[in-house]
Amino acid sequence: MKAVSGSLGGIVEAGCLQPIDVIKTRLQLDHQKHYKGIWNCGTTIVQKEGVRALWKGLTPFATHLTLKYTLRMGSNAVLQTALTDPETGKISAAGRMVAGFGAGVLEALVIVTPFEVVKIRLQQQKGLGRELLKYKGPVHCATTIIREEGVLGLWAGAAPTVMRNGTNQAVMFTAKNMFDNLLWHKHEGDGVTLQPYQSMISGFLAGFAGPVCTGPFDVVKTRLMAQSASEIRYKGMVHALGRIYTEEGLFALWKGLVPRLMRIPPGQAIMWTVADQVTGLYERKFIKPSKATAIA
């Protein structure tokens, strides 16, 4: 049920927040400083490429979000169960962070990296005329990458993606549980379903810490994924971090942070609102509150 709730939340989130993700990607790839900020980037895209360009890469983005949340929520639940103290039925804060990190690493390697490579390659293309674009769509993009760069081309930027997602999920699951407990006195498995606005507030707050901590990994990931085999600018995560810092300055490692903060906290708010209602329905129907195990 955790996996199902995550998949439904991912579908809703993708449709709402795709334009912000496109803007974030364009800003992170803008090492020549064509765009003057979030608003300028968005309006420039609309003026030159049309409104539909803000939803470029939606198919891989929605598919990847749905699969990612399914794997994330399901694997985190399995790992939390494995790390729960059998005597007390509770999991420690450290155990919750380890479970979140493990879920983030798993989703990064299995789902996130190949889908984001395709998404970013599609998003960096400017214009809408199919005949002028190198990649005609998600499937054509993936097959072209495999043909030109090999299968491993779909896993470009895997190292920073693993670091970003692992850290993000360790922080996010811990923070969500903390805010649920602190604000609403809610414990997992207690049979109590949060109101939608409560889930939204907890999810929104939990979504803030990760992007700030993982900004450099996200920028490096985007740069590594965007480069093709014929145009190698960065040789790996460490080389990319050093070169970006040297050529563009320290703050360039947090490029796209504002649109990430515009996308991830609202995205977590949407996802957790849906997920909590789905898991709450299951708990009400199949878990008796008196026998439920509270994971504090």
Side-chain angles (χ1 to χ4, degrees), residues 192-223:
V192 176
T193 303
L194 293 177
Q195 293 297 317
Y197 81 89
Q198 293 174 321
S199 297
M200 189 168 288
I201 291 172
S202 292
F204 186 87
L205 294 174
F208 261 97
V212 176
C213 296
T214 62
F217 294 126
D218 193 60
V219 171
V220 169
K221 170 200 71 73
T222 301
R223 298 286 179 92

Side-chain angles (χ1 to χ4, degrees), residues 107-169:
E107 72 179 18
L109 291 175
V110 177
I111 302 293
V112 177
T113 302
F115 274 93
E116 289 216 353
V117 167
V118 172
K119 174 179 70 73
I120 286 171
R121 295 288 180 92
L122 290 172
Q123 288 179 344
Q124 72 176 340
Q125 297 185 127
K126 298 179 180 180
L128 283 175
R130 283 175 62 86
E131 67 282 355
L132 301 177
L133 301 178
K134 178 178 180 179
Y135 305 116
K136 313 302 182 185
V139 176
H140 179 257
C141 179
T143 55
T144 301
I145 292 171
I146 292 173
R147 185 175 62 253
E148 295 181 352
E149 305 170 39
V151 175
L152 292 181
L154 291 173
W155 272 266
T161 306
V162 164
M163 293 302 299
R164 183 198 67 170
N165 282 61
T167 305
N168 261 339
Q169 301 333 312

Side-chain angles (χ1 to χ4, degrees), residues 2-19 21 57-74 107 111-116 119 123 164-165 169 172 263-264 266-268 270-271:
K2 292 282 188 179
V4 170
S5 70
S7 68
L8 294 175
I11 292 171
V12 178
E13 178 185 339
C16 295
L17 301 180
Q18 172 69 358
D21 193 69
L58 178 60
T59 300
F61 183 57
T63 305
H64 129 255
L65 266 190
T66 303
L67 295 175
K68 178 177 73 173
Y69 284 143
T70 300
L71 182 60
R72 177 190 297 176
M73 301 291 282
E107 72 179 18
I111 302 293
V112 177
T113 302
F115 274 93
E116 289 216 353
K119 174 179 70 73
Q123 288 179 344
R164 183 198 67 170
N165 282 61
Q169 301 333 312
M172 188 272 292
R263 180 180 71 79
I264 293 177
Q268 291 302 302
I270 294 169
M271 193 281 294

Side-chain angles (χ1 to χ4, degrees), residues 17-252:
L17 301 180
Q18 172 69 358
I20 298 175
D21 193 69
V22 171
I23 292 171
K24 182 213 75 165
T25 299
R26 291 289 183 90
L27 286 173
Q28 289 183 333
L29 294 174
D30 185 31
H31 47 78
Q32 295 182 347
K33 300 182 179 180
H34 292 300
Y35 303 118
K36 299 176 182 178
I38 297 171
W39 181 256
N40 176 256
C41 180
T43 55
T44 301
I45 292 171
V46 172
Q47 290 169 359
K48 294 186 176 180
E49 305 171 51
V51 175
R52 286 190 299 124
L54 291 173
W55 274 267
K56 277 186 174 181
L58 178 60
T59 300
F61 183 57
T63 305
H64 129 255
L65 266 190
T66 303
L67 295 175
K68 178 177 73 173
Y69 284 143
T70 300
L71 182 60
R72 177 190 297 176
M73 301 291 282
S75 62
N76 181 72
V78 170
L79 290 170
Q80 283 199 18
T81 300
L83 294 169
T84 296
D85 188 323
E87 295 183 1
T88 64
K90 296 181 179 181
I91 184 171
S92 65
R96 191 180 298 279
M97 291 194 75
V98 170
F101 189 85
V105 170
L106 188 61
E107 72 179 18
L109 291 175
V110 177
I111 302 293
V112 177
T113 302
F115 274 93
E116 289 216 353
V117 167
V118 172
K119 174 179 70 73
I120 286 171
R121 295 288 180 92
L122 290 172
Q123 288 179 344
Q124 72 176 340
Q125 297 185 127
K126 298 179 180 180
L128 283 175
R130 283 175 62 86
E131 67 282 355
L132 301 177
L133 301 178
K134 178 178 180 179
Y135 305 116
K136 313 302 182 185
V139 176
H140 179 257
C141 179
T143 55
T144 301
I145 292 171
I146 292 173
R147 185 175 62 253
E148 295 181 352
E149 305 170 39
V151 175
L152 292 181
L154 291 173
W155 272 266
T161 306
V162 164
M163 293 302 299
R164 183 198 67 170
N165 282 61
T167 305
N168 261 339
Q169 301 333 312
V171 172
M172 188 272 292
F173 279 109
T174 302
K176 174 62 165 59
N177 180 264
M178 180 190 72
F179 285 122
D180 282 351
N181 196 344
L182 183 66
L183 297 175
W184 324 117
H185 308 292
K186 159 71 179 171
H187 300 277
E188 286 187 54
D190 61 4
V192 176
T193 303
L194 293 177
Q195 293 297 317
Y197 81 89
Q198 293 174 321
S199 297
M200 189 168 288
I201 291 172
S202 292
F204 186 87
L205 294 174
F208 261 97
V212 176
C213 296
T214 62
F217 294 126
D218 193 60
V219 171
V220 169
K221 170 200 71 73
T222 301
R223 298 286 179 92
L224 290 174
M225 288 179 174
Q227 66 183 9
S228 62
S230 59
E231 300 177 1
I232 299 296
R233 181 178 175 84
Y234 307 107
K235 299 176 182 178
M237 181 175 69
V238 176
H239 178 257
L241 283 168
R243 184 164 184 175
I244 293 170
Y245 172 75
T246 301
E247 295 181 352
E248 303 173 49
L250 178 63
F251 291 111

